[in-house]
Amino acid sequence: FSDLLRARSFKVKGILNGIDVDLYNPETDKEIYFNYSYKNLDEKSKNKIKLQKRLKLKSTKSIPLIAMVTRLAEHKGIDLVKEVLENFIAVEDVQFVILGCGDKKYEEFFEYIQNKYPEKMRFCKGFVPELSRKIYASADIFLMPSKTEPCGLAQMIALRYGAVPIVRETGGLFDTVKDSGDGKGNGFTFKSYNSYDMLESLNRAINGYKNKAGWDLLKRRAMLCNNSWETSAVQYLQIYKK
């Protein structure tokens, strides 16, 4: 099928989904603890403190909070996370929060890590819409290492809330997140479906977090991305007219 599409690529056009930028708006969202914008990022930090207290993690701005809101399925890259998370958590001064449910083997693994490293890890089983909003608003880094992702919405929501995304370069993730290594991107990316490539991007993000001025600049760049349906609608109109 992929060969057929490539052979007929002149007939094929891909348009990304959008997000409701009024619904997902940190300036007005009633589900988060404190409203904020790219102009007052200190309010975002207050969300982080409140979430840490709710989840019984150490309340501090200095430790990077890494988050995932996802289905626990292999194609979402959870197998990559499973390969390296225990060693990563043991060595790095980070906090890790995962909200989701899915394959039992992954649920049991994250429960095991939480029990072993209760000061660093929280696994919130299930999907709780109000908690997901609070996680987006509180997280410093949003991890989305999918094996496949035709579009993806979570990375767009993360950008909107200033949670800097780490994604694999696939599908819509590659279309919406560009690596900040050139000083212009809005997140961190890795190409190969490999846990150690993912880990390298995580380490780059953690090092970047230590530079507050640079990190604030990256957060603002992320929050100013336009992934609205208005952008997608313009592309649909262009196709119809063509």
Side-chain angles (χ1 to χ4, degrees):
F1 184 65
S2 59
D3 290 339
L4 177 63
L5 286 177
R6 275 193 287 270
R8 297 290 185 270
S9 60
F10 63 95
K11 294 183 177 181
V12 179
K13 172 69 176 178
I15 298 177
L16 289 167
N17 290 330
I19 58 171
D20 186 332
V21 294
D22 294 322
L23 179 65
Y24 296 110
N25 185 352
E27 294 187 59
T28 57
D29 191 342
K30 295 180 180 178
E31 296 286 1
I32 65 178
Y33 297 114
F34 299 95
N35 294 117
Y36 62 96
S37 73
Y38 70 93
K39 296 179 181 178
N40 62 336
L41 291 172
D42 286 343
E43 296 298 302
K44 178 174 172 61
S45 298
K46 292 181 182 178
N47 281 280
K48 178 178 174 178
I49 296 297
K50 288 281 285 187
L51 183 69
Q52 288 168 329
K53 289 180 179 177
R54 172 173 173 171
L55 299 181
K56 294 181 172 57
L57 292 168
K58 180 180 179 181
S59 297
T60 175
K61 296 179 183 179
S62 63
I63 297 175
L65 177 62
I66 305 165
M68 297 182 75
V69 177
T70 183
R71 283 187 294 110
L72 303 183
E74 185 174 324
H75 83 275
K76 290 293 186 180
I78 307 302
D79 55 324
L80 300 188
V81 178
K82 186 174 184 290
E83 283 180 20
V84 298
L85 182 60
E86 184 166 4
N87 289 338
F88 176 72
I89 285 281
V91 172
E92 298 294 341
D93 190 17
V94 298
Q95 294 175 343
F96 211 99
V97 174
I98 297 179
L99 172 64
C101 59
D103 291 355
K104 187 176 181 181
K105 64 180 179 180
Y106 296 131
E107 292 181 355
E108 290 177 346
F109 171 74
F110 290 128
E111 287 170 351
Y112 158 73
I113 297 294
Q114 176 178 253
N115 291 334
K116 188 170 182 179
Y117 301 96
E119 74 284 4
K120 291 185 173 183
M121 172 76 186
R122 282 296 174 274
F123 171 47
C124 306
K125 185 177 177 180
F127 183 69
V128 185
E130 60 86 16
L131 180 56
S132 72
R133 299 286 191 90
K134 290 177 173 68
I135 289 173
Y136 284 117
S138 303
D140 300 301
I141 298 167
F142 188 85
L143 180 59
M144 196 171 177
S146 303
K147 180 182 289 185
T148 59
E149 201 69 63
C151 178
L153 297 178
Q155 85 281 9
M156 297 183 187
I157 300 170
L159 288 166
R160 181 77 168 146
Y161 285 81
V164 176
I166 297 175
V167 305
R168 195 175 84 82
E169 295 178 8
T170 183
L173 299 181
F174 186 49
D175 292 328
T176 52
V177 180
K178 301 302 179 184
D179 197 273
S180 60
D182 62 358
K184 298 177 182 178
N186 55 1
F188 297 87
T189 70
F190 62 101
K191 190 170 185 177
S192 300
Y193 192 71
N194 180 291
S195 60
Y196 292 98
D197 286 352
M198 179 190 73
L199 195 58
E200 190 268 340
S201 292
L202 265 169
N203 287 327
R204 285 195 293 128
I206 292 168
N207 287 330
Y209 181 79
K210 296 173 184 176
N211 178 350
K212 186 180 186 306
W215 193 258
D216 282 351
L217 182 64
L218 181 54
K219 283 192 290 187
R220 291 189 184 98
R221 200 181 297 143
M223 294 179 73
L224 289 170
C225 292
N226 184 358
N227 291 305
S228 68
W229 273 112
E230 184 176 330
T231 300
S232 303
V234 169
Q235 296 179 57
Y236 276 109
L237 287 172
Q238 288 172 344
I239 290 176
Y240 287 131
K241 289 177 180 178
K242 187 175 180 180

